[in-house]
Amino acid sequence: MKLLRRERQHTLEHRLVWQAASLLLAYPDEQHIGRLATVDELLANVSGSPAELLGRTVVALRDADPMRAATDYVDTFDLRRRSTMYLTYWTGGDTRNRGSQMLSFTRAYRAAGVGPPRREAPDHLPVVLEFAATVDPEAGRRLLVEHRVPIDVLRDALERSGSPYAHAVAAVCQTLPTATDRDIERARRLATAGPPAESVGLEPFTLTVPPRRAQGD
């Protein structure tokens, strides 16, 4: 019985971490301040290193000038391929395989009784985190674990650039199984070589690097 309670508490804390990270990794629009307040409430129920890491991102974003925060977000996630939050970019790249890989996310959402997001790609990390936190923790965790290597590549890129978002992604990593030596090697190779590419016969596909957001979008 005690073990069951610990497992339930463990799952609940992970869901809170995922929800908080999803909110922190969202574009800082007019709802930004409200999202930070929600994260504060969530962190009241999270302990240990994940809470500390998420708190560091909260402080950095709260102290940032709103216009500067928006510009930094676009520069970090929209204009740098190595810190994209589209998880299948690293496993599918500019190839036909990426479409089928994104389809696996859509199928997971529909199997859980919800439709895919309308304004974002289904493999966008904040979308996956919100799904795991609020809809289906088991299926969501599976998607996160299956894409642990791209998440590690993203975290490393953010850490190297000194981005405050690195702490939020690191908190997510702490809710996942420890990376194996094989995972670490795959992440290293991806970071060095980049995603796979296909230059012949590629049908138009525009999600490789998300577009710059218009002011207030």
Side-chain angles (χ1 to χ4, degrees), residues 85-205:
M85 287 194 285
Y86 292 101
L87 299 180
T88 62
Y89 172 72
W90 288 104
T91 53
D94 292 320
T95 72
R96 296 178 180 86
N97 290 334
R98 190 172 174 209
S100 62
Q101 291 175 11
M102 284 204 297
L103 185 59
S104 68
F105 287 85
T106 299
R107 286 172 175 165
Y109 299 156
R110 286 175 174 162
V114 297
R118 295 182 178 180
R119 298 187 61 186
E120 192 53 89
D123 65 331
H124 196 236
L125 180 57
V127 172
V128 183
L129 289 170
E130 185 168 6
F131 171 75
T134 64
V135 179
D136 190 329
E138 183 176 346
R141 179 186 292 278
R142 184 172 64 253
L143 290 172
L144 292 170
V145 170
E146 289 174 351
H147 295 82
R148 171 63 189 261
V149 170
I151 295 173
D152 281 338
V153 173
L154 169 63
R155 182 201 61 204
D156 184 65
L158 294 173
E159 288 176 349
R160 288 175 181 273
S161 67
S163 171
Y165 293 105
H167 309 307
V169 178
V172 171
C173 290
Q174 292 196 1
T175 68
L176 306 177
T178 302
T180 65
D181 290 342
R182 182 179 180 183
D183 290 336
I184 294 172
E185 177 59 21
R186 284 183 63 205
R188 186 194 66 78
R189 283 191 280 107
L190 278 178
T192 301
E198 180 176 77
S199 59
V200 179
L202 180 64
E203 295 181 2
F205 193 77

Side-chain angles (χ1 to χ4, degrees), residues 68-79:
R68 179 69 181 180
T71 299
D72 286 347
Y73 186 95
V74 172
D75 288 345
T76 298
F77 296 116
D78 292 6
L79 302 181

